[in-house]
Amino acid sequence: ITNTLSHGFILPGTYRNFATDDSSTNHWLCQLLTLGEGYQNNHHHDCNAMSQAMKPSEFDPAAWVVNKFFAIKENKNV
């Protein structure tokens, strides 16, 4: 889903936050279907960022869950 909708398949509502060397785009529908992984242009701009959301209007629920798991792990002496 992510690669098909975010690389070259232009849907209404597709946008790019960053000028990257590829055809990656962001799309709200892809983001909803993949719980935050639809921000491909953001990912290609900064592939090491935990959250794919780069604007206040973008929401990445998968990053929120991962962040909570790290917080739980840090609070335990494992």
Side-chain angles (χ1 to χ4, degrees):
I1 291 172
T2 301
N3 285 332
T4 300
L5 293 178
S6 299
H7 290 275
F9 189 82
I10 305 301
L11 295 172
T14 298
Y15 65 97
R16 291 171 54 93
N17 288 335
F18 305 100
T20 57
D21 292 335
D22 53 40
S23 63
S24 62
T25 59
N26 299 328
H27 194 276
W28 65 271
L29 178 60
C30 187
Q31 183 274 343
L32 286 176
L33 293 173
T34 60
L35 300 176
E37 299 301 315
Y39 297 127
Q40 279 293 292
N41 182 247
N42 297 354
H43 166 70
H44 284 258
H45 172 72
D46 185 2
C47 61
N48 293 320
M50 181 178 66
S51 176
Q52 302 297 319
M54 302 285 180
K55 286 183 169 181
S57 60
E58 297 173 341
F59 180 63
D60 186 351
W64 183 83
V65 170
V66 169
N67 192 30
K68 293 301 176 190
F69 281 131
F70 278 121
I72 292 169
K73 181 182 175 190
E74 289 175 5
N75 289 331
K76 291 185 177 181
N77 294 326
V78 179

